[in-house]
Amino acid sequence: MNLKELKCINENINLDEYINFRKYVKEHMEHPEWLGDFTKEDLEFMLKNNSKIWIYLINDEIVCSMMFIPSTKKALDKFEVDLDYEEVADYGPMMVNPKYVGNGLQLKMLKELDNYSINNGYKYVIATVHPDNLYSINNLLKDEFKLINQKEFKRGLRNIYLKNL
């Protein structure tokens, strides 16, 4: 399955549908704690501040989604990363509908996010992943991310990965 074959919505995202999709994905995950929960208010704020969400569909069914978040000084301090925050993007939640798991969609979304980041002048990207989430870790490693730290956050222990674009 190729992302280019799917309908892509990346403007005027219906946040209620996005949140319902996240809820559906989490309900079908063996470890739902691996996926974070931004509130609707958080998402609205982030989208007003240059974050971006992509939703991919077949017919009217959501297949997967991804999120781009420009970094902040506060975020980099929290991650203990000493870079210019204006050069760093954070790859937010990537979700795949359980019906479409196994089609390599997460790695394909990573590649799309890499292209978006490069085209928008970013030099580095960060991603955080639960240390037991081998599926996501393997995809990050395939996309040339490097493990740089491990920290405890509100939603639990996370590995911090960095990629030089």
Side-chain angles (χ1 to χ4, degrees):
M1 178 174 289
N2 192 323
L3 292 178
K4 306 264 188 256
E5 300 166 357
L6 305 175
K7 178 181 177 186
C8 178
I9 298 172
N10 60 13
E11 300 291 333
N12 302 313
I13 299 298
N14 181 323
L15 292 178
D16 292 322
E17 286 180 12
Y18 176 79
I19 290 167
N20 285 336
F21 177 61
R22 179 185 64 209
K23 182 180 175 189
Y24 173 74
V25 169
K26 284 184 86 155
E27 287 171 352
H28 291 85
M29 290 176 69
E30 184 178 349
H31 300 284
E33 68 276 9
W34 290 354
L35 186 57
D37 286 318
F38 289 119
T39 66
K40 185 174 183 178
E41 293 76 21
D42 291 337
L43 293 168
E44 288 169 342
F45 176 82
M46 293 163 74
L47 290 172
K48 287 179 186 170
N49 288 282
N50 298 318
S51 291
K52 192 164 181 74
I53 295 172
W54 290 259
I55 296 174
Y56 294 91
L57 304 105
I58 290 179
N59 300 321
D60 289 327
E61 181 178 42
I62 299 176
V63 173
C64 58
S65 70
M66 62 187 186
M67 186 173 188
F68 169 92
I69 307 166
S71 198
T72 63
K73 180 166 179 13
K74 181 179 175 182
L76 291 185
D77 288 347
K78 180 174 68 170
F79 297 148
E80 298 178 4
V81 172
D82 187 24
L83 293 169
D84 178 353
Y85 73 91
E86 293 179 337
E87 297 179 337
V88 182
D90 186 341
Y91 291 174
M94 283 185 235
M95 301 178 282
V96 177
N97 184 322
K99 296 177 189 175
Y100 299 97
V101 168
N103 286 289
L105 292 168
Q106 186 181 38
L107 185 57
K108 291 170 186 168
M109 288 188 286
L110 283 167
K111 299 293 185 188
E112 288 293 318
L113 285 169
D114 290 346
N115 289 333
Y116 180 83
S117 298
I118 291 166
N119 290 336
N120 284 279
Y122 290 89
K123 295 182 180 177
Y124 308 94
V125 289
I126 281 185
T128 60
V129 179
H130 189 281
D132 294 335
N133 186 344
L134 297 180
Y135 307 107
S136 292
I137 290 170
N138 286 333
N139 283 319
L140 289 173
L141 294 175
K142 285 177 191 172
D143 195 37
E144 301 178 6
F145 278 80
K146 306 288 184 235
L147 176 65
I148 60 164
N149 204 352
Q150 187 177 73
K151 292 203 51 134
E152 186 76 33
F153 296 106
K154 281 188 271 186
R155 59 189 183 106
L157 190 63
R158 293 292 182 266
N159 288 351
I160 301 168
Y161 291 85
L162 180 70
K163 178 177 178 175
N164 185 337
L165 295 169

